[in-house]
Amino acid sequence: MNTVSTGDFIKQVAEATGCTQVQVKAILNAAGEQIKANLKAGQEMHFIGYFNVGIKAKKAQTKLNPFTGEKIKVAACKVPTIKLSASFKQLLKKK
């Protein structure tokens, strides 16, 4: 599987939209910062046709350290989640 770097992605979007790479990079950075701000505020986002970004609460739990076998308490926390849309899932199933 090939990997597309951020720079390559910015170049692709710039070519597809007619915007400059500087403009595309600024838009992507602003979008990323806004997503972070919304998550920090506890808001989920739905990008219909693309993906949903949300927050999942994880309970406190006890786990084992695989190296020592010692039991470790892991505190409760919130983690970001991304769920792809059905159209993306279908795209990948066709291959």
Side-chain angles (χ1 to χ4, degrees):
M1 180 180 285
N2 293 333
T3 302
V4 176
S5 69
T6 304
D8 290 339
F9 181 71
I10 289 171
K11 185 176 180 181
Q12 292 169 351
V13 172
E15 289 172 359
T17 61
C19 295
T20 67
Q21 290 184 37
V22 173
Q23 291 170 324
V24 172
K25 185 175 181 179
I27 291 167
L28 285 176
N29 287 338
E33 291 302 317
Q34 194 58 52
I35 290 170
K36 289 178 192 177
N38 288 341
L39 286 175
K40 191 172 184 178
Q43 298 173 324
E44 293 185 352
M45 291 154 289
H46 304 281
F47 298 92
I48 296 174
Y50 299 101
F51 54 88
N52 296 334
V53 179
I55 303 166
K56 180 179 180 181
K58 289 188 142 191
K59 296 178 183 178
Q61 49 189 316
T62 303
K63 297 212 172 193
L64 288 176
N65 180 329
F67 298 106
T68 64
E70 177 185 5
K71 290 185 179 181
I72 300 171
K73 291 184 180 182
V74 179
C77 63
K78 294 179 183 176
V79 295
T81 62
I82 297 176
K83 183 178 178 184
L84 292 177
S85 70
S87 62
F88 270 93
K89 291 177 183 178
Q90 288 298 323
L91 175 73
L92 296 175
K93 285 183 181 179
K94 290 180 182 177
K95 287 189 173 183

